[in-house]
Amino acid sequence: MALKIVKGSIDRMFDKNLQDLVRGIRNHKEDEAKYISTCIDEIKQELKQDNIAVKANAVCKLTYLQMLGYDVSWAAFNIVEVMSSSKFTYKRIGYLAASQCFHENTDVIMLTTNQIRKDLSSPNQYDTGVALTGLSCFVTPDLARDLANDIMTLMSHTKPYIRKKAVLIMYKVFLKYPESLRPAFPRLKEKLEDPDPGVQSAAVNVICELARRNPKNYLSLAPLFFKLMTSSTNNWVLIKIIKLFGALTPLEPRLGKKLIEPLTNLIHSTSAMSLLYECVNTVIAGQYSCSVGNTKSHSAQWPQPFLCVQKLRILIEDSDQNLKYLGLLAMSKILKTHPKSVQSHKDLILQCLDDKDESIRLRALDLLYGMVSKKNLMEIVKKLMIHVDKAEGTTYRDELLTKIIDICSQSNYQYITNFEWYISILVELTRLEGTRHGHLIASQMLDVAIRVKAIRAFAVAQMATLLDNAHLLTGNMQRNGICEVLYASAWICGEFSEHLENPMQTLEAMLRPKVATLPGHIQAVYVQNAAKLFATILKNQEGNTDSTTAQETSQLMIDRLPLFVQSANLEVQERASCILQLVKYIQKLQQKDVEIAEEVSALFAGELNPVAPKAQKKVPVPEGLDLDAWINEPPSESESEDEQPKAIFTKEEPKHSRPRHTEVDEKELARRREARKQEQANNPFYIKASPSSQKVYQDAPGVEHIPVVQIDLSVPLKVPGLPMSDQYVKLEEERRQKERAEKKKKEKKKRKEKRSGRGRKHDSGPESEEDITPAHVVDIVTEEMPEDHNHLPSPYLSKVKICICIFYLSRPLADSEKLPVRSHRAAGAPKSSAEDGEVENATSQEPKKKSSKEKREKKKDKDRERKVRFGCWKHFPPSETDSWSALNSLFFLFFFPLALPTKVCDIQGNLQDGSQVVVSVIFENKCESFLKSMEFNVLDSLNSKLQRPEGSGPHDGLTVPFQLPPGVSNEARFVFTVQSIVMPQKLKGTLTFIVKNEDSSTHEKLDFKLHFTCTSYLITTPCYSDAFAKLLESGDLKSSSVRLEGVNMPFHHLLARICFHHHFSVVERIDSCASMYSRSIQGHHVCLLVKTSGQTVSIDAKCDEPTLLGNVLDEIKQTFSQC
Amino acid sequence: MRFLLLFSRQGKLRLQKWFTSMSDREKKKIIRDMTTMVLARQARSCNFLQWKDLKIIYKRYASLYFCLAVESQENELLALEIIHRYVELLDKYFGNVCELDIIFNFEKAYFILDEFLMGGEIQETSKQIVNRSIEASDMLQETLEEYMSKPAF
């Protein structure tokens, strides 16, 4: 024995210890990797020895190497050996190594269970402590299950040192093994009143964490925590308790009343900034949960935001950057509920924009978004523009740019009073070097020019200058993000060319050879709009006896267009050659002195109006139109595959098509145009949302892929002739003053007339929001088309149709999209457009049908249990010809018998290929109150997961991006990832929302279940009998069968029912026997042979996935048992 | 809390503590992200960063960066306090701590941390108690080491 120890000590003298290793690594900076690999070899030798001291030393070194990023997983077993040493020195090193190197998948962890149990019950408290510490790092569900009981016992250990560690580790155990929570909870609660403050704070910590996950369960502890809060002086604990109350108050409004006093006291008295910040945050959160209903009683509960805002101002004014940042962060939370009280601190927030720290500037920008008003918009944007100029670093500048556009365009340009100013701002923004947001600016230009009619003349002039100076934007002939604005410029100049002062010059600018270096989609717009300009010029020259200008223009076109005909881009080529031929023909006519201007301009007659994507919904289906009937016979599968590319073209056509009336005589044309203008004038709806042109634009390929290149800015980028936005600020000020003066005059007159002397206050007070009238009116402010859609003028239909086609373009193409249907639609018959309408209509009409059913449901459900009732579901018949059919829609209707609001949630599963399932939920507010802050959350299963935006946790809900006024319905889509489709799935979920009445507001919750049946993964796929036979012969399919008794319906009804509910298609039918086929989204084949004799139906089925088949058959059985 | 990292101005990792189980690959990626993000910050900026759904709170002490990641609901100032308290504890233990102390006694730095934080929660808010338990367990270790190095003949 003695000899062994001596040997051990001698070994240790020669071994490298940790210090030597560290020193060695520092001395071998050049060949570190080589040095370490020799060290690892040494360590491997050391680990082979019996001496535990040597081993522990080796493991200690390994832990260090692990930190440097070397893989040490091969030594896991040696670590366990050292852990199980009886000596504390080595045990400590072993546990440290384990806590650093082990993770849930380390397999040797299983071996440690007994060792850990032994250490937990060791008489030495430090042995136990070290085991608990280690365990907290590598606890697995298995370890948690096996050791939960031991740890629970330790919670009542005599030593507080062990108790507090045991309490803390219990939280980790709960997470890994939730079943342990219930038995352990009483003891955990006891620990809140432990005599040792350390144990007490540990218990507070754990319960605070637990309550954050599920606050409802911990409401009962509120009185206890309240006592702790008023008695404790430990700021660490206080912060946790206040945080806990922050989680509880939304559930129990009465808590707020009790909390208000201690919190206010703390805010006033504490010197600890962390505590102050926590209090302010909790108060803000409390206000937020109460603000939903602004009742007197509620607002009395929480102090006016004044106190918080005041304190936050102090934070923001502090020289400490951290406090500044947090102050702004908290301020943005107040902004949501009390925008007015934040707005008074505009000066301070604008100051923060000058801060050196980017994160502070970004926070301040966030705040600005909510603070603008008509009055201060120009001023704020002016300030931001200065920052744009000064900003270094493209990310921050891009952020500024998007913020400026966000701020200006929010709620339909609500705060913009002068659009000339806005256009000049946009033009100024094009000067930005290397921005990624060219397309954003472009879409704003298009949007404003289309929707604000009064601005068009101005916009066109600006755009023409931009086109003229395009070389400044495109820089060294290279492509960069900003050249996207040329797309908008060209389109605006072409479309509204009647406002151009010098169309000839613009036309020349658009046909410069340099244009050929622009991206294809921009060139295409150039070519198309050059043609529009050409038409305008011809028209202007008409009646002019001297026809040289017109002929020169034609010659210019003929000279320049061949450049585009040679373009590599198909679209450019096609358009250019088409227009070139046209111009050549026109030239020929010109030479014969034929008056052609009118006819040429008829090519581009009519105005393009933006249409809301949902507009089609409002169009009624004409009487006598059967949407289920085939328009053309369904083409075969193979055919549709071949012709798909063609289908894309036909579909695309409508978006460029204009009414082509070249043949129609002039009078007729003029008459029609007049009539249309009349109708449009009477039409209040220019529907909001993305105008069609923008949609097209976004669909254009390759926008994202354009490499962003810095503009070579040796010359200052002042585009000549462009007005500076600043001057508008002045002009606007003058305009407002004038208006005010006029108003005053009127006021005076009135007063004189009335001879009443009470009007003094009107004189000097600051102008209020309402006083500022916009200089231009934005069209299209209504969200939806008017309900009474019968008044829809007929030309409107065709316009609507165009937009809808474009809208569909953004959808993925489905296999079953059939060409004949497409071409039919492209022909533009109102019939087919109405067909689109019906498809969308089906969703909107659905709730109406339900209402009576729902009433019945309600009567039955008197206990008002908030349970989701599975209503019925419906599938479009397979004959559906629209692209929607490809999406394989499913309806789930859920009824929510609720105390106050009745809400129907219509879940429509759009299944697409692979593992993604899109569920569109139609929320309809059936109660009298306003619903807001809806959050949709689903408890993920292993198999199905709700796709959440990157960065959010697995339990976070998704905010529904709209609010619901009474009686309104809206649709939201959620994407789920489904791994296996062979089993039906039920996902539990909750929808939380705030019900806001005039005098109260409550937080409500709806639980629901999403039922993904196996059927819903099937797609109706046609199959031919020979293919079907081959499939059955292949022998890969497993069979199964089912018998249905007492089915009392004709055979064809039965088949229709299976087709309809279960997405099958009939392959062949002979007498009372039929074969059917369907395919799952993951490509499983499902074949049925249905036979009937009397009231018995037997279904023999085959599928390559037996589980799926079994479930589908069960579902079929259920369908028939219900009838 | 999710993790605590200590790294030098050159981006060399000096200490890592993960409060949730994670694979080595994830750890490496996070370490890389953190060092690049934090080291890129300018002086006199605020100490908070947003990273994915976590808040990153960092603070520089001499040549060492302390970097703590917490959930989004946590109090940033409290996190700063935690970092500071840990530095105080190290300072007390090593006596005017410097980066080299932590490099050469990295296991001690871990032991101190383990007495202060556990499983991502604060274990002990009192400096005295933490110091006392570290001393006590060191005593235990010392006696054993003395015993081991005692000549056996």
Side-chain angles (χ1 to χ4, degrees), chain A residues 182 306 395 631 704 720 762 794 806 841:
Chain A
R182 199 169 284 275
F306 179 70
T395 18
I631 297 168
E704 263 82 39
H762 291 289
S794 54
I806 292 161
N841 250 349

Side-chain angles (χ1 to χ4, degrees), chain A residues 562-715:
Chain A
L563 178 68
F564 297 100
V565 176
Q566 292 158 11
S567 168
N569 187 300
L570 269 184
E571 172 112 9
V572 180
Q573 209 183 85
E574 190 184 5
R575 287 179 191 225
S577 49
C578 188
I579 290 167
L580 183 61
Q581 288 314 312
L582 187 71
V583 176
K584 279 183 182 160
Y585 181 66
I586 291 170
Q587 196 183 33
K588 233 184 264 170
L589 291 177
Q590 273 177 336
Q591 280 155 2
K592 288 181 201 157
D593 272 341
V594 184
E595 289 276 317
I596 34 141
E598 198 62 41
E599 277 159 45
V600 175
S601 51
L603 276 173
F604 305 107
E607 199 179 336
L608 282 184
N609 277 324
V611 176
K614 280 184 184 160
Q616 186 69 57
K617 243 194 225 177
K618 304 281 184 181
V619 182
V621 188
E623 259 177 65
L625 176 66
D626 181 9
L627 286 173
D628 292 342
W630 284 108
I631 297 168
N632 296 321
E633 275 312 301
S636 70
E637 213 174 357
S638 57
E639 222 177 318
S640 73
E641 247 166 55
D642 292 346
E643 299 185 34
Q644 205 145 36
K646 232 170 158 187
I648 293 171
F649 276 109
T650 25
K651 225 167 19 140
E652 207 153 19
E653 199 185 20
K655 71 182 172 189
H656 315 299
S657 73
R658 302 287 184 76
R660 294 194 177 167
H661 296 303
T662 26
E663 303 301 317
V664 186
D665 69 324
E666 248 172 76
K667 257 189 204 163
E668 170 68 6
L669 210 75
R671 196 188 57 76
R672 280 194 208 171
R673 209 174 302 144
E674 212 33 62
R676 182 161 54 230
K677 267 186 197 152
Q678 196 62 42
E679 273 155 358
Q680 276 166 357
N682 297 337
N683 232 346
F685 40 75
Y686 287 115
I687 302 107
K688 188 196 95 111
S690 18
S692 55
S693 50
Q694 241 172 293
K695 271 274 190 270
V696 179
Y697 167 69
Q698 277 156 6
D699 285 344
V703 177
E704 263 82 39
H705 310 296
I706 301 159
V708 177
V709 177
Q710 305 263 323
I711 306 181
D712 181 20
L713 266 192
S714 47
V715 264

Side-chain angles (χ1 to χ4, degrees), chain A residues 5-6 12 18-19 22-23 26 60 63-64 66-67 69 87-90 92 96 99-100 103-104 124 126 132-133 136-137 161 164-165 168-169 172 198 205 209 212 234 236 239-240 243 273-274 277-278 319 321-323 325-326 329 356-357 359 951 953, chain B residues 13-22 24 27-28 41-42 44-48 52-53 73-78 80-82 85 100 103-107 110-111 114-115 118-119 121-125 129 133 136-138 140-141 144-145 148 152-153:
Chain A
I5 290 175
V6 172
R12 290 185 61 188
L18 177 68
Q19 271 79 10
V22 175
R23 216 164 281 136
R26 292 171 74 85
C60 190
T63 316
Y64 187 78
Q66 191 267 346
M67 183 170 74
K87 298 203 170 63
F88 179 69
T89 317
Y90 309 136
R92 205 183 190 189
L96 173 64
S99 62
Q100 293 302 112
H103 48 88
E104 274 195 355
N124 183 341
Y126 293 105
L132 285 173
T133 311
S136 74
C137 293
Y161 178 74
K164 79 186 170 206
K165 281 188 189 255
L168 283 178
I169 202 173
K172 291 272 160 182
N205 273 342
E209 285 304 311
R212 200 182 284 168
N234 184 340
W236 303 76
I239 288 177
K240 284 283 174 183
K243 199 180 277 299
M273 278 301 177
S274 49
Y277 179 60
E278 194 62 51
S319 59
Q321 297 287 73
N322 290 336
L323 297 182
Y325 177 89
L326 294 179
L329 196 67
K356 267 188 288 177
D357 188 352
S359 10
Chain B
L13 192 64
R14 296 301 180 209
L15 186 137
Q16 52 169 348
K17 189 82 195 173
W18 306 87
F19 298 115
T20 47
S21 164
M22 236 178 287
D24 283 346
K27 286 182 187 173
K28 271 188 194 153
R41 298 279 294 173
Q42 286 174 345
R44 271 196 57 74
S45 303
C46 69
N47 296 112
F48 314 124
K52 296 196 177 163
D53 57 338
Q73 314 93 328
E74 292 287 348
N75 187 325
E76 290 93 339
L77 293 173
L78 190 69
L80 271 182
E81 291 282 336
I82 289 172
R85 176 60 59 89
L100 284 179
I103 298 174
F104 282 104
N105 300 290
F106 90 115
E107 84 279 19
Y110 278 118
F111 295 148
D114 286 340
E115 291 302 323
M118 191 170 133
E121 296 299 323
I122 303 157
Q123 184 184 166
E124 184 53 69
T125 55
I129 295 179
S133 51
S137 36
D138 273 355
L140 206 59
Q141 184 166 340
L144 276 169
E145 267 177 4
M148 280 306 299
F153 37 86

Side-chain angles (χ1 to χ4, degrees), chain B:
Chain B
M1 277 172 262
R2 296 292 182 87
F3 56 82
L4 173 70
L5 301 177
L6 265 69
F7 47 83
S8 68
R9 235 176 351 175
Q10 291 78 35
K12 280 244 163 61
L13 192 64
R14 296 301 180 209
L15 186 137
Q16 52 169 348
K17 189 82 195 173
W18 306 87
F19 298 115
T20 47
S21 164
M22 236 178 287
S23 76
D24 283 346
R25 249 184 78 195
E26 286 171 291
K27 286 182 187 173
K28 271 188 194 153
K29 191 180 175 307
I30 292 176
I31 292 169
R32 210 172 38 238
D33 283 5
M34 287 305 118
T35 44
T36 45
M37 252 171 66
V38 171
L39 292 176
R41 298 279 294 173
Q42 286 174 345
R44 271 196 57 74
S45 303
C46 69
N47 296 112
F48 314 124
L49 288 168
Q50 192 73 37
W51 182 75
K52 296 196 177 163
D53 57 338
L54 295 181
K55 285 175 176 168
I56 308 297
I57 291 94
Y58 72 92
K59 186 148 182 154
R60 184 175 158 183
Y61 286 90
S63 58
L64 262 191
Y65 282 92
F66 288 67
C67 170
L68 183 65
V70 298
E71 282 91 357
S72 55
Q73 314 93 328
E74 292 287 348
N75 187 325
E76 290 93 339
L77 293 173
L78 190 69
L80 271 182
E81 291 282 336
I82 289 172
I83 292 177
H84 188 69
R85 176 60 59 89
Y86 181 46
V87 174
E88 280 178 343
L89 289 170
L90 289 172
D91 209 43
K92 175 94 182 155
Y93 184 85
F94 291 109
N96 211 353
V97 66
C98 69
E99 193 183 340
L100 284 179
D101 287 325
I102 296 174
I103 298 174
F104 282 104
N105 300 290
F106 90 115
E107 84 279 19
K108 298 279 189 224
Y110 278 118
F111 295 148
I112 297 168
L113 184 63
D114 286 340
E115 291 302 323
F116 173 46
L117 302 175
M118 191 170 133
E121 296 299 323
I122 303 157
Q123 184 184 166
E124 184 53 69
T125 55
S126 149
K127 267 187 274 188
Q128 283 86 358
I129 295 179
V130 176
N131 280 327
R132 229 177 290 151
S133 51
I134 294 167
E135 273 166 29
S137 36
D138 273 355
M139 283 297 289
L140 206 59
Q141 184 166 340
E142 227 82 291
T143 48
L144 276 169
E145 267 177 4
E146 277 162 27
Y147 170 77
M148 280 306 299
S149 51
K150 229 187 259 169
F153 37 86

